[in-house]
Amino acid sequence: MKILFLEDDDVLLKDLVQALEEAKHSVTTCKSGQAAIYLAGSRDYHVLIFDRMVDGIDGLNALRILRSKGVRTPALFLTAMTGVDDRVDGLEAGADDYLAKPFAVRELLARVMALGRRGQYGEASASLVVGDIEIDRLKRSVTRAGIPVLLQVQEFKLLEYLMLHAGQVVTRSMLLEGVWSYHFDVRTNIVESHMSRLRAKLCANGSPDPIQTLRRIGYRFETGQP
């Protein structure tokens, strides 16, 4: 796979690039957010690996800018900023995964492979349609009955996950892992608050709510017109 690696620690960068190349990946490196924005926006990569704390435009804002430009390459934050709020900020900026330093190189390689597979799956299924709701996964756009619905990055990912599992019950834990890449239950209302905003936007024109709440169980996205 082709990987773009944003990191300004020369020692760490050298070691990780060697490990990635030994795993048969092709790695392009850069040390500033400005360079990452240019490279990711002008060339095709399978995975982005960004450190958050770099000079100039930091990794967090670099990814925000790329997502606003429609770049949807799966992205992993690799950082020493490990607090829950830091993780939430990273995922809200459009990251698909978040790995805290220090870490095992084997885990990084496994996560990179998982993100690469996710990107390939997304390319194979660019459009999703359930009832009168359609999302374009390449353009990250949503319409309902032909009317555009403007969503933030995590709202889009939440809707995408629900539509991929339309007709199925999804639990809070499933959403935390599938949308926010949390493999543990964070003690926040992140799922509930995003679900509320998503529902409001999908129903803004008086359309019925396609998301059913199953008390103490989870949610189900309806497969057809209510």
Side-chain angles (χ1 to χ4, degrees), residues 84 87-92 95-98 111 115 118 154 157-159 161-162 165 169-195 217-219:
V84 171
R87 292 171 180 263
V88 171
D89 287 344
L91 296 168
E92 289 280 10
D96 298 274
D97 203 352
Y98 201 107
R111 289 181 183 238
L115 288 178
R118 184 183 303 183
Q154 292 303 119
K157 291 173 70 174
L158 176 57
L159 176 61
Y161 189 92
L162 290 169
H165 297 82
V169 175
V170 295
T171 66
R172 186 176 188 274
S173 295
M174 290 170 65
L175 291 171
L176 283 170
E177 182 168 352
V179 179
W180 284 273
S181 298
Y182 278 128
H183 303 287
F184 56 94
D185 189 358
V186 293
R187 298 302 177 183
T188 72
N189 65 343
I190 189 171
V191 173
E192 292 76 11
S193 61
H194 279 77
M195 191 71 73
I217 300 175
Y219 305 90

Side-chain angles (χ1 to χ4, degrees), residues 6 30-38 50 54-59 62 66:
L6 168 61
C30 58
K31 296 183 179 181
S32 72
Q34 293 92 328
I37 293 167
Y38 170 74
F50 281 10
V54 295
D55 291 336
I57 300 175
D58 62 24
L66 287 169

Side-chain angles (χ1 to χ4, degrees), residues 109-222:
L109 296 176
R111 289 181 183 238
V112 166
M113 288 299 296
L115 288 178
R117 289 193 296 270
R118 184 183 303 183
Q120 292 169 3
Y121 178 72
E123 290 174 5
S125 307
S127 179
L128 286 174
V129 181
V130 178
D132 61 352
I133 300 174
E134 180 174 1
I135 67 174
D136 186 319
R137 302 170 76 188
L138 295 179
K139 296 179 180 178
R140 287 187 173 261
S141 61
V142 179
T143 59
R144 183 164 196 185
I147 300 173
V149 179
L150 301 180
L151 300 180
Q152 298 297 319
V153 172
Q154 292 303 119
E155 294 165 356
F156 180 92
K157 291 173 70 174
L158 176 57
L159 176 61
E160 179 182 37
Y161 189 92
L162 290 169
M163 291 178 65
L164 284 169
H165 297 82
Q168 304 173 25
V169 175
V170 295
T171 66
R172 186 176 188 274
S173 295
M174 290 170 65
L175 291 171
L176 283 170
E177 182 168 352
V179 179
W180 284 273
S181 298
Y182 278 128
H183 303 287
F184 56 94
D185 189 358
V186 293
R187 298 302 177 183
T188 72
N189 65 343
I190 189 171
V191 173
E192 292 76 11
S193 61
H194 279 77
M195 191 71 73
S196 177
R197 290 198 294 270
L198 175 60
R199 280 174 151 154
K201 292 181 179 181
L202 290 176
C203 303
N205 294 314
S207 299
D209 188 353
I211 303 168
Q212 181 182 5
T213 298
L214 305 173
R215 190 175 180 183
R216 298 181 181 176
I217 300 175
Y219 305 90
R220 181 167 54 218
F221 196 90
E222 298 297 338

Side-chain angles (χ1 to χ4, degrees), residues 6-47:
L6 168 61
E7 174 61 69
D8 60 1
D9 183 325
D10 290 331
V11 175
L12 179 63
L13 189 62
K14 179 181 178 180
D15 290 343
L16 292 182
V17 167
Q18 180 178 343
L20 289 164
E21 290 180 341
E22 287 176 354
K24 308 303 181 184
H25 301 300
S26 174
V27 186
T28 300
T29 63
C30 58
K31 296 183 179 181
S32 72
Q34 293 92 328
I37 293 167
Y38 170 74
L39 289 168
S42 60
R43 305 179 190 177
D44 291 328
Y45 295 97
H46 296 101
V47 176

